[in-house]
Amino acid sequence: MSLRRGFRHFLNVVYVLFNLFLLLCIMFLFDGYSAQLPFKMVLTVLFIQVILFYVSFLRVRVSLYSKNGDMIKKDSGEIVINVAKHGFYPFKKIEFDLKYKNQFEKEYSVKKYVIELGDGKSADEIVKIDDLKCGINEVHIENAVIYDMFGFANVLLGKKRHKGKAEFVVMPKIIDVPIDISLLRYMTEEEAMDYFTDEENEFSDYNIREFRDGDKLNKIHWKLSSKSDEIMVLSDASSSEPFAYVFTDFESDENIYEMLDRCYSECYKLANLSFSHYLAWKGRNGGMKRKLIVDLKTLDDTVIQIMTETRE
């Protein structure tokens, strides 16, 4: 790509120099002042516009952001490309490569776009990206080339003139999955204390209380006790009441997108039934983590957290 861009830039320079040389040759053929005047005017205008072009492009800035916000609940998204010229030089167009990638993919998808620039100080173009998959998607611009007012001279905008990248989360699809509440996995808090070992996974405050005379030692919450001045234990209610769990494993051989769609759909149906449950997943350090799902908002927040923590 860089070799082709360099060769193209070389051809543009040769083209400009050839036209200048041709104008000079024609001027020498007409030694009269009145005959040379049109050629001198063209030569002067061309020279001035080239100078203005190479000075004005230094102020150009290109930025992008997601029009749909940080979370998208569909398989397509719209990216707004803003070209701020910070001047009145009439650039003809800008072309660039739009690169985007899902967090579970290794290769970028690349599409080439061209934006025709008007006379204003800035221009916005909405670019639609289809076939997005669930997960954190990042989008950025590369190989942005801006053209002069005539469309034959161009220059490559450096990375310093690209403003970062856009990131957004595409939520899993809601698919038709059968739900049998009786077949879900259930665990009490006492059982969960041995299963969820990640240090960041804390139990809810209403499940924990201070140690009292007569409490069994196996109910002591050692991690919380080590962080406080008191010995903390699981309450009797929390240790005996079982909660339903929906599990997802990012290290399995299953298709990651199908697994996320199914897991999200199960939790979505349970939340719609006002059935509180835990969504559990394996963290980066191998420990199991969980979040209590009580409504659709906590479900979306938890899925975003999972996407962020499992990002490669």
Side-chain angles (χ1 to χ4, degrees):
M1 178 64 72
S2 59
L3 181 61
R4 184 173 60 182
R5 167 53 44 198
F7 180 70
R8 189 173 181 178
H9 184 69
F10 173 75
L11 290 179
N12 289 326
V13 173
V14 172
Y15 178 75
V16 173
L17 294 178
F18 176 77
N19 281 277
L20 292 175
F21 177 74
L22 184 61
L23 283 172
L24 287 173
C25 291
I26 295 176
M27 287 175 58
F28 284 119
L29 292 177
F30 298 90
D31 53 0
Y33 178 79
S34 60
Q36 288 186 0
L37 183 60
F39 300 107
K40 288 183 178 180
M41 292 178 61
V42 172
L43 188 64
T44 302
V45 171
L46 183 61
F47 180 72
I48 292 175
Q49 91 87 18
V50 169
I51 293 179
L52 289 176
F53 169 64
Y54 280 99
V55 171
S56 299
F57 99 90
L58 296 174
R59 303 185 63 192
V60 175
R61 297 293 184 272
V62 182
S63 59
L64 70 164
Y65 61 90
S66 171
K67 185 181 179 182
N68 309 104
D70 297 331
M71 183 175 67
I72 300 177
K73 291 191 173 183
K74 53 184 180 180
D75 59 359
S76 63
E78 293 181 330
I79 302 298
V80 178
I81 311 295
N82 175 261
V83 183
K85 297 187 289 186
H86 299 291
F88 292 97
Y89 180 86
F91 296 101
K92 181 177 178 61
K93 62 181 180 179
I94 184 173
E95 63 180 26
F96 55 88
D97 294 332
L98 192 69
K99 301 183 67 174
Y100 56 96
K101 183 177 77 69
N102 182 278
Q103 71 178 99
F104 302 113
E105 298 175 346
K106 295 183 179 180
E107 300 295 331
Y108 281 91
S109 297
V110 183
K111 291 185 178 180
K112 184 174 289 294
Y113 291 92
V114 177
I115 299 177
E116 298 292 336
L117 301 177
D119 297 330
K121 288 187 177 181
S122 65
D124 288 333
E125 183 80 6
I126 299 177
V127 175
K128 185 177 181 180
I129 304 178
D130 296 316
D131 301 324
L132 292 174
K133 297 179 180 179
C134 62
I136 300 177
N137 289 260
E138 64 175 58
V139 184
H140 67 273
I141 289 176
E142 285 190 359
N143 304 318
V145 179
I146 194 165
Y147 287 78
D148 73 331
M149 59 188 300
F150 299 114
F152 58 81
N154 62 74
V155 64
L156 179 67
L157 298 178
K159 293 183 178 180
K160 293 182 179 181
R161 294 176 177 83
H162 300 169
K163 188 176 179 180
K165 59 185 178 182
E167 287 190 350
F168 50 87
V169 177
V170 177
M171 303 300 289
K173 298 177 183 177
I174 300 176
I175 60 177
D176 186 18
V177 292
I179 292 292
D180 188 342
I181 295 178
S182 64
L183 297 179
L184 295 175
R185 183 173 178 180
Y186 288 81
M187 280 194 295
T188 63
E189 293 291 89
E190 189 172 0
E191 294 170 334
M193 186 175 63
D194 295 328
Y195 191 83
F196 295 95
T197 57
D198 189 86
E199 292 183 357
E200 296 181 1
N201 183 71
E202 301 293 357
F203 294 92
S204 302
D205 292 337
Y206 64 83
N207 292 329
I208 301 295
R209 60 173 174 80
E210 295 182 0
F211 183 85
R212 301 171 185 169
D213 292 338
D215 287 334
K216 296 180 180 180
L217 295 180
N218 61 0
K219 290 185 179 181
I220 296 177
H221 195 302
W222 296 107
K223 286 188 296 183
L224 285 182
S225 299
S226 64
K227 296 178 182 180
S228 62
D229 297 331
E230 302 290 341
I231 298 178
M232 310 301 292
V233 298
L234 292 169
S235 66
D236 293 333
S238 65
S239 61
S240 60
E241 180 184 359
F243 266 93
Y245 282 78
V246 176
F247 288 86
T248 181
D249 184 5
F250 289 89
E251 296 181 356
S252 67
D253 295 332
E254 186 179 356
N255 183 293
I256 186 70
Y257 305 111
E258 293 179 359
M259 180 186 68
L260 288 173
D261 289 344
R262 186 184 67 253
C263 177
Y264 183 79
S265 299
E266 291 178 1
C267 294
Y268 184 89
K269 285 192 173 184
L270 292 173
N272 269 332
L273 295 173
S274 299
F275 186 82
S276 298
H277 60 285
Y278 278 102
L279 174 56
W281 71 97
K282 183 179 291 185
R284 276 187 172 182
N285 59 358
M288 293 298 298
K289 307 185 72 173
R290 67 173 185 168
K291 284 290 183 179
L292 182 62
I293 308 300
V294 296
D295 53 26
L296 296 179
K297 184 181 183 305
T298 56
L299 172 60
D300 288 342
D301 292 342
T302 301
V303 170
I304 293 176
Q305 178 183 344
I306 293 174
M307 299 296 188
T308 303
E309 293 184 356
T310 57
R311 188 174 184 178
E312 296 181 358

